[in-house]
Amino acid sequence: MTSTRPPSPGPDPDSDSGSDPGAGRRMWRQRTRFARPALRALREPTLSARGGLRSLGSALSTPAASHEPLLKRAPARWIQLLPYVLAFGFTATLIPVTSQVLTNDYGLNGALSGALGVAQSAPLLLAVTRPLAAWWIIFPADIVGALLLLGTEGTTHRPWPWPAMVIVGYLVLCLALALRESRRTLMAVWLVTVVTSLALGFVSQERSEGTNVLLIVLSGAMLLLGATLRERAEAQRRLAEQETISEAERAQRTLLEERARIARELHDVVAHHMSVITVQADSAPYRITGMPDAAREEFGSIASAARESLAEMRRLLGVLRSEEARGERAPQPGLERLEQLAEATVRAGVPVELSVEVPVTGGGPDGAAGAAGEGDGTGEAREVPQTVTLSAYRIVQEALVNVVRHAPGAPTRVSVAAGEEGLTVLVVNGPSPEPGGAPLETTGTGHGLVGMRERVRLVGGTLDTGPLPDGGFRVAARMPLPATGGASAPSGGSADASDRPSGVPSDAGTGTGTDGDAGAGTGTDGDAGAGAGNGATTGTHSRSPGHHDHYGHHDDEKEPPPA
């Protein structure tokens, strides 16, 4: 017999597994592709929770960098000691109270009650310097105490899980935490307190008396209050530091401005002397007969160096002068201007008594008493340099301005005298009269005193300022003078003789000025005269006809109109 086998079935046209072995894997990928978003959605909260727990643990394990006692920077000593007093008082009170209440009211073993009282209260002493470390001791002890009370029969109708002693001690700890730790740490502490309190409340709801919710609310309020107080104190401290820094910067800026102003004023004095050197060196070959050629070359070198020095000084003055400042052409004031200054102050409503006892021996570049001393008519006198007279004038000016501002109407006495110890300037004012003597300014910047000190320091003198017992104020300056008479200004030129174009007449001409500012000197009006004094001048100084003086504050000086 011959058997015939049935034909094998061919591949299913609806299935591609026979023709493509990887079709199953593709189908698995397609099915799992839709599940990936759901898995990812479940993973993200897990990662977030893990990151939150890690951040929470970091906050609870990172205490503040400072370990100094709380309120250490308080101004009063008793406030600095207050944290220690409170911590000791609460500790000494809570330990026996906790032990007695847990033993008598809750029926807890005496030894356990004493241990819990110490663990829950003694770390408050540590909280004065390290509150976060104290929290790591007190809060676990509170949790252990709550769990131990579950096994006693005395918790019925009594506060649980937090007895009153626990709440009081924990609130004190929260206050210490808030005064020291960061916001992040405080938030972590409060979250742990909330979670723990709620968890214990669910453990034994029949025993819970609501103290867990009470602790959540009170601890949050205490943390918020303490953090607010601490941040306010820190803001005030930073503000005080910033004000101190600003005041120091303002004082430094004022000092630099005063020094620059003094340097600008001294430029005129030094320029006058350099001009005199230039004129003397240029005119020496014509005034001295039979001068050798080497001497002529030496005088020419001196004149050239003096001109270069004047040019460099003008560049320096340009650096010192601000962009808004205009060049001052008016001569620098001296002792001869004190009378006009006093008259201007009297017109401002302040009675002034002026006494000037400085003998005049010669004029400065502007007709001032550039060299003054105790003359005897023979040409020998103690010279008063123009820098000293300028400093004396500015000191008196600044002192009178302060009287007008802070004590209007107060009687004032101004005394300037030259003695063995030097030139003495004394300005004393009494209290402002009542009732119309209210000060124009109740607070001052001290800029005037800074300028006085700098001017006195410039000439090597001393300054003494301060209030008087009767309510007035005293300014006393003493500036040294040269021991012997020095050279006076030459009769052949003035301060600007080297820079004056030919054809322009000089103030220092020929002839003798009889009404000059500086006693007797050469020149048509005695403005730039030089010569020997003829005696002491007391009280006032004469003024030349047509010589325009400006008094008052130096910022009010105007430039003379062009010729």
Side-chain angles (χ1 to χ4, degrees), residues 28-397:
W28 172 255
R29 290 195 188 100
Q30 291 176 357
R31 292 172 182 174
T32 58
R33 186 181 304 169
F34 298 102
R36 287 176 185 175
L39 294 175
R40 192 178 296 113
L42 293 175
R43 187 184 304 172
E44 288 179 356
T46 304
L47 295 176
S48 300
R50 187 179 302 173
L53 291 176
R54 188 181 298 110
S55 177
L56 183 66
S58 175
L60 292 176
S61 60
T62 307
S66 176
H67 295 312
E68 65 181 12
L70 298 175
L71 305 182
K72 179 64 176 179
R73 300 182 181 180
R77 177 64 176 172
W78 69 271
I79 298 179
Q80 297 178 5
L81 297 176
L82 186 60
Y84 289 101
V85 175
L86 293 178
F88 181 79
F90 279 105
T91 301
T93 303
L94 290 177
I95 290 178
V97 171
T98 301
S99 178
Q100 291 294 325
V101 169
L102 294 182
T103 302
N104 299 331
D105 296 347
Y106 289 85
L108 192 64
N109 182 271
L112 291 177
S113 300
L116 285 176
V118 173
Q120 294 174 353
S121 304
L124 291 177
L125 296 174
L126 178 63
V128 176
T129 55
R130 292 173 173 83
L132 188 58
W135 181 85
W136 276 104
I137 301 174
I138 292 178
F139 193 65
D142 293 342
I143 297 175
V144 171
L147 295 177
L148 290 176
L149 292 180
L150 284 176
T152 64
E153 299 296 334
T155 57
T156 306
H157 304 297
R158 295 190 182 278
W160 187 90
W162 310 126
M165 304 78 65
V166 172
I167 294 177
V168 172
Y170 196 75
L171 292 181
V172 175
L173 177 62
C174 288
L175 181 59
L177 285 168
L179 294 177
R180 172 58 53 83
E181 303 300 333
S182 63
R183 287 185 180 180
R184 183 164 162 260
T185 301
L186 298 182
M187 182 60 67
V189 167
W190 189 70
L191 287 177
V192 171
T193 304
V194 171
V195 173
T196 305
S197 299
L198 294 179
L200 290 175
F202 284 113
V203 168
S204 180
Q205 298 183 7
E206 67 279 0
R207 297 190 181 187
S208 177
E209 295 290 334
T211 55
N212 54 345
V213 179
L214 180 63
L215 183 64
I216 292 174
V217 175
L218 293 181
S219 61
M222 188 63 71
L223 291 173
L224 181 60
L225 175 62
T228 303
L229 294 176
R230 185 198 64 194
E231 293 178 358
R232 181 174 180 271
E234 290 180 354
Q236 291 179 346
R237 180 176 55 84
R238 287 194 297 266
L239 180 61
E241 291 177 356
Q242 188 62 35
E243 289 178 351
T244 302
I245 295 174
S246 300
E247 186 64 26
E249 292 177 349
R250 190 181 303 112
Q252 183 66 19
R253 183 172 62 252
T254 301
L255 179 62
L256 296 178
E257 291 175 354
E258 289 292 335
R259 288 179 177 177
R261 192 181 107 195
I262 294 172
R264 292 194 298 267
E265 293 179 352
L266 290 180
H267 168 267
D268 294 342
V269 179
V270 180
H272 163 67
H273 294 300
M274 297 301 299
S275 298
V276 170
I277 294 174
T278 305
V279 171
Q280 288 180 333
D282 282 336
S283 62
Y286 303 99
R287 293 184 288 103
I288 302 175
T289 59
M291 181 178 295
D293 293 340
R296 292 176 181 271
E297 293 179 0
E298 188 67 23
F299 278 113
S301 299
I302 294 174
S304 177
R307 291 191 187 92
E308 291 179 1
S309 299
L310 281 173
E312 294 296 334
M313 287 184 59
R314 292 190 185 95
R315 296 189 186 100
L316 175 62
L317 184 63
V319 173
L320 294 176
R321 182 177 291 122
S322 61
E323 297 180 357
E324 295 81 7
R326 297 182 302 171
E328 297 179 359
R329 301 178 182 177
Q332 297 299 336
L335 298 181
E336 79 289 346
R337 298 272 293 277
L338 290 180
E339 182 184 4
Q340 301 178 20
L341 182 61
E343 293 174 357
T345 308
V346 171
R347 287 196 295 270
V350 177
V352 178
E353 178 186 349
L354 176 64
S355 174
V356 181
E357 298 180 358
V358 181
V360 179
T361 62
D366 60 342
E374 298 174 356
D376 57 3
T378 63
E380 296 293 335
R382 293 190 66 189
E383 180 182 358
V384 179
Q386 192 177 1
T387 54
V388 175
T389 61
L390 175 61
S391 297
Y393 176 86
R394 293 302 189 196
I395 290 173
V396 174
Q397 183 185 48

